[in-house]
């Protein structure tokens, strides 16, 4: 079965069957990356450009590793050290890179919708590696894959997404994915950081962390994205931590197993304490490992459609 | 469109052929020390399981390594097909470094799957030697210089024909037949 799309622009634009196929293929790649020789030759005739117009550590490295494990040729670009600073438009930059015979583009961009725009104007296949506050599809896929690994399936699972929902592309992509896979989602955070029309996405809302954690099987703890906050959304980080931090006393009070996720980067001591982040219940590093397998699956399946 | 079936192992010949192949293996490998049998996904794994079972019946207490190898990511027709092939599981929990490997597949045709298998196998080390065992060898259609070391039956076929192998291990009735379509 081919995917229903040539690009991965967002979870919103793909089908449930696509997600299942990506998960199944990622199972195979997870086995591959645990072999003594972790490389397969599938994408050896493909060149992938990693265009990062916004900072990234995990996602960029994870994509690069996935590409290398698939034997693709890669070129890297980051906005900080490029002609973007000299006033070049997005389309010009990308077209210049594509003139070098690139087959796929992995792009992170601060503007929501940038990959969709690009998809309308270029031939190469596009993978969205995060566009502003809009979507981060591969993060949602790896979160879903990690949950599926932990619980067997996503259907009927209760997942809480806690923190800065307003500025989080991880939250939006996760909501789309979990809804498509039949899981229940509840978002939790200060009222100012919950988007106004969140109900229209079919999720529950709570402003009480303890209640939310009692309800859910897994909690995805998000970072406060101060760099995207142009105004003050809450009085202080200290107050935020008092109300919305996942710490050991709270975890122990719940008296039930809770799977804890975090897309990184972690602000230790703000949304989550070190003790909890490093505890047995946290699957944060499993998420990172699964990220490579999931990205290999996405690149492999898209490349197969040429 | 009618389909004609030609039984390739009529009158219960399949078990005899499998016994013959296993005796040949015993002749070559003796106590099977350092020998690993690798079945190729998707259909070679059933034959490899059967070979293992027959060997265990013939030589009680025999110890040999058995694994299942998926070659999907090593195929040379990726991006030349309409849709990517769905991969299967690889189950090999040992290294093949310094071992003698027997690759097992049900049907040998163009030889391209075996080429991919030779490539895929190297992720688990450098074997001392590799031999190929197939149940049905469709002669004269090879696209690569690959020949089997152990063969159940050799058949001459044309492109429109298909060889179907339905072993008990895969929920079949131990039937191996040549399917010809007449338009």
């Amino acid at each position: 079965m081919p995917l229903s799309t040539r690009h991965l622009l967002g979870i919103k634009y793909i089908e449930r069957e696509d997600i299942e196929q990506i998960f199944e293929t990622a199972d195979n790649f997870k086995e591959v990356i645990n072999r003594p020789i972790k490389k397969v030759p599938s994408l050896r005739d493909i060149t992938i450009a990693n265009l990062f117009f916004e900072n990234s550590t995990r996602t960029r490295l994870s994509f690069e590793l996935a590409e290398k494990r698939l034997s693709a040729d890669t070129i890297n670009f980051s906005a900080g050290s490029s002609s973007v600073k000299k006033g070049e438009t997005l389309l010009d930059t990308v077209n210049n890179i594509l003139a070098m015979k690139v087959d796929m583009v992995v792009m992170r961009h601060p503007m929501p919708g940038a990959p969709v725009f690009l998809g309308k104007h270029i031939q190469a296949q596009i993978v969205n590696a995060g566009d502003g506050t809009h979507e981060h599809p591969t993060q949602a896929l790896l979160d879903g894959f990690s949950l599926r690994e932990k619980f067997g399936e996503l259907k009927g699972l209760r997942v809480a997404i806690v923190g800065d929902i307003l500025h989080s592309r991880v939250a939006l992509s996760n909501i789309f994915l979990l809804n498509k896979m039949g899981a229940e989602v509840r978002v939790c955070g200060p009222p100012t950081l919950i988007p106004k029309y969140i109900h229209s996405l079919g999720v529950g809302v709570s402003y009480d962390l303890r209640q939310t954690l009692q309800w859910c099987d897994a909690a995805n703890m998000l970072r406060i994205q101060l760099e995207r906050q142009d105004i003050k959304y809450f009085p202080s980080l200290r107050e935020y931590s008092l109300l919305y931090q996942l710490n050991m006393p709270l975890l122990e009070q719940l008296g039930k197993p809770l799977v804890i996720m975090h897309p990184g980067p972690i602000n230790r001591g703000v949304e989550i304490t070190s003790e909890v982040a490093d505890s047995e219940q946290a699957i944060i590093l499993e998420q990172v490992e699964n990220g490579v397998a999931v990205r290999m699956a996405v690149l492999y399946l898209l490349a197969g459609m040429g | 469109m009618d389909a004609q079936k030609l039984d390739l192992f009529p009158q219960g010949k399949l078990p005899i052929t499998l016994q013959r192949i296993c005796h040949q293996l015993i002749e070559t490998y003796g106590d099977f020390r350092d020998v690993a049998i690798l079945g190729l996904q998707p259909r070679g794994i059933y034959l490899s399981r059967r070979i293992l079972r027959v060997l265990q019946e013939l030589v009680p207490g025999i110890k040999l390594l058995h694994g299942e190898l998926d070659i999907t990511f090593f195929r040379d027709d990726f991006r030349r097909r309409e849709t990517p092939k769905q991969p299967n599981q690889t189950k090999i929990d040992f290294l093949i470094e310094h071992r003698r490997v027997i690759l097992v597949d049900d049907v040998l045709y163009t030889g391209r799957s075996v080429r991919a298998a030779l490539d895929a196998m190297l992720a688990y080390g450098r074997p001392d030697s590799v031999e190929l065992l197939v149940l049905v060898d469709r002669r004269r259609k090879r696209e690569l210089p690959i020949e089997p070391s152990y063969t159940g039956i050799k058949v001459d076929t044309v492109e429109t024909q298909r060889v179907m192998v339905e072993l008990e291990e895969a929920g079949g009735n131990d039937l191996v037949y040549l399917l010809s379509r007449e338009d």
Side-chain angles (χ1 to χ4, degrees):
Chain A
M1 271 284 289
L3 295 180
S4 67
T5 167
R6 273 189 80 232
H7 309 290
L8 179 64
L9 301 174
I11 301 294
K12 189 179 174 182
Y13 313 105
I14 64 173
E15 306 292 332
R16 182 200 163 94
E17 290 73 27
D18 296 326
I19 298 169
E20 274 164 3
Q21 204 188 348
I22 291 169
F23 284 172
E24 281 163 25
T25 311
D27 283 333
N28 296 103
F29 282 119
K30 184 147 187 191
E31 183 268 317
V32 167
I33 60 175
N34 282 295
R35 287 180 192 174
I37 295 175
K38 301 165 176 60
K39 205 173 167 96
V40 293
S42 302
L43 265 57
R44 64 187 150 198
D45 55 349
I46 295 209
T47 306
I48 302 177
N50 298 312
L51 312 183
F52 281 76
F53 294 89
E54 195 184 87
N55 294 338
S56 164
T57 313
R58 228 170 323 274
T59 307
R60 189 169 51 82
L61 290 179
S62 181
F63 265 111
E64 219 179 312
L65 198 57
E67 290 152 7
K68 294 198 155 116
R69 298 272 192 253
L70 288 165
S71 305
D73 291 320
T74 60
I75 49 175
N76 295 308
F77 162 96
S78 51
S81 56
S82 72
S83 292
V84 173
K85 289 256 149 85
K86 301 176 193 163
E88 194 171 47
T89 67
L90 171 62
L91 201 52
D92 281 339
T93 304
V94 175
N95 271 328
N96 274 280
I97 293 167
L98 292 182
M100 302 175 203
K101 306 278 182 250
V102 167
D103 304 287
M104 285 174 103
V105 171
V106 173
M107 184 170 80
R108 167 165 291 188
H109 200 280
M111 297 306 286
V116 176
F117 164 78
L118 210 56
K120 288 178 182 159
H121 292 92
I122 65 168
Q123 269 302 310
Q125 293 176 284
I126 299 163
V127 180
N128 180 3
D131 55 337
T133 56
H134 180 220
E135 279 228 43
H136 191 352
T138 55
Q139 178 70 42
L141 285 164
L142 75 91
D143 289 344
F145 183 79
S146 305
L147 284 171
R148 169 179 169 271
E149 201 172 59
K150 204 79 195 169
F151 292 97
E153 62 171 345
L154 298 182
K155 199 166 187 290
L157 207 62
R158 290 173 163 183
V159 183
I161 306 174
V162 182
D164 186 354
I165 311 297
L166 186 63
H167 299 99
S168 174
R169 53 193 173 211
V170 176
L172 189 59
S173 288
N174 260 283
I175 290 168
F176 284 138
L177 184 133
L178 292 166
N179 275 345
K180 283 185 183 183
M181 302 309 284
E184 272 185 81
V185 185
R186 190 178 285 184
V187 296
C188 173
T192 48
L193 290 176
I194 305 280
K196 204 171 171 186
Y197 298 106
I198 192 84
H199 289 289
S200 64
L201 293 175
V203 301
V205 178
S206 167
Y207 307 113
D208 186 320
L209 181 61
R210 185 186 309 268
Q211 253 178 24
T212 304
L213 295 179
Q214 257 152 6
W215 168 83
C216 68
D217 304 302
N220 204 341
M221 305 301 296
L222 306 179
R223 176 177 69 94
I224 294 293
Q225 304 202 30
L226 287 173
E227 76 276 17
R228 293 192 205 278
Q229 298 181 2
D230 41 4
I231 55 165
K232 275 269 180 197
Y233 286 88
F234 49 85
S236 69
L237 274 179
R238 187 161 169 273
E239 187 190 294
Y240 177 83
S241 300
L242 284 171
L243 291 169
Y244 292 102
Q245 181 187 70
L246 180 50
N247 49 38
M248 232 11 157
L250 178 57
L251 196 58
E252 278 164 1
Q253 277 170 31
L254 293 175
K256 64 162 195 178
L258 176 71
V259 169
I260 299 154
M261 303 198 291
H262 197 301
I266 303 177
N267 287 147
R268 285 173 184 261
V270 182
E271 70 274 11
I272 191 167
T273 59
S274 281
E275 259 183 318
V276 175
D278 302 330
S279 71
E280 295 251 309
Q281 301 189 52
I283 57 164
I284 300 166
L285 292 176
E286 278 101 313
Q287 286 174 271
V288 178
E289 182 189 346
N290 289 338
V292 178
V294 164
R295 290 182 174 111
M296 284 173 83
V298 167
L299 295 169
Y300 173 81
L301 289 169
L302 287 178
M305 301 175 64
Chain B
M1 203 162 76
D2 267 347
Q4 273 189 348
K5 277 185 182 183
L6 174 69
D7 194 347
L8 293 177
F9 294 93
Q11 293 144 10
K13 274 189 188 161
L14 183 64
I16 301 172
T17 302
L18 291 172
Q19 291 249 348
R20 191 246 305 153
I21 293 176
C22 288
H23 276 112
Q24 286 176 320
L25 289 175
I26 295 167
E27 194 179 23
T28 312
Y29 291 104
D31 62 356
F32 285 85
R33 193 213 299 239
D34 295 331
V35 172
I37 293 185
L38 295 184
L40 301 196
Q41 286 275 22
R43 287 180 306 270
I45 60 168
Y46 302 113
L47 179 63
S48 75
R49 289 177 195 169
R50 173 67 70 87
I51 293 286
L52 196 68
R53 202 176 87 198
V54 178
L55 279 173
Q56 280 162 345
E57 282 164 13
L58 289 173
V59 189
I62 189 176
K63 276 188 188 149
L64 44 82
L65 298 163
H66 177 241
E68 297 174 353
L69 181 66
D70 183 58
I71 59 161
T72 312
F73 301 131
F74 294 83
R75 298 182 65 94
D76 59 6
D77 57 357
F78 183 62
R79 276 164 73 80
R80 286 168 184 82
R81 308 172 64 94
E82 289 276 295
T83 57
K85 269 206 146 192
Q86 196 60 35
N88 291 292
Q89 246 192 332
T90 290
K91 281 187 219 155
I92 300 178
D93 50 11
F94 49 86
L95 290 180
I96 58 168
E97 188 85 23
H98 296 310
R99 296 195 196 283
R100 293 176 289 171
V101 171
I102 306 162
L103 291 177
V104 178
D105 207 356
D106 56 351
V107 181
L108 176 63
Y109 187 39
T110 61
R112 287 183 188 267
S113 298
V114 177
R115 189 221 51 84
L118 289 168
D119 219 355
M121 188 183 72
L122 295 181
Y124 297 89
R126 179 185 184 271
D128 275 358
S129 66
V130 185
E131 288 197 301
L132 175 64
L133 185 161
V134 297
L135 191 56
V136 182
D137 175 7
R138 297 179 69 174
R139 285 190 294 193
R140 307 207 176 100
K141 283 288 172 194
R142 217 74 80 231
E143 293 168 5
L144 295 168
I146 283 168
E147 290 305 321
S149 324
Y150 308 92
T151 312
I153 187 172
K154 292 180 182 191
V155 290
D156 292 328
T157 58
V158 292
E159 246 172 79
T160 52
Q161 291 174 314
R162 292 187 68 189
V163 175
M164 312 299 286
V165 179
E166 296 172 1
L167 292 182
E168 277 172 6
E169 277 76 2
N173 293 320
D174 265 3
L175 262 181
V176 183
Y177 55 91
L178 190 63
L179 199 65
S180 311
R181 292 215 165 133
E182 286 174 9
D183 291 311

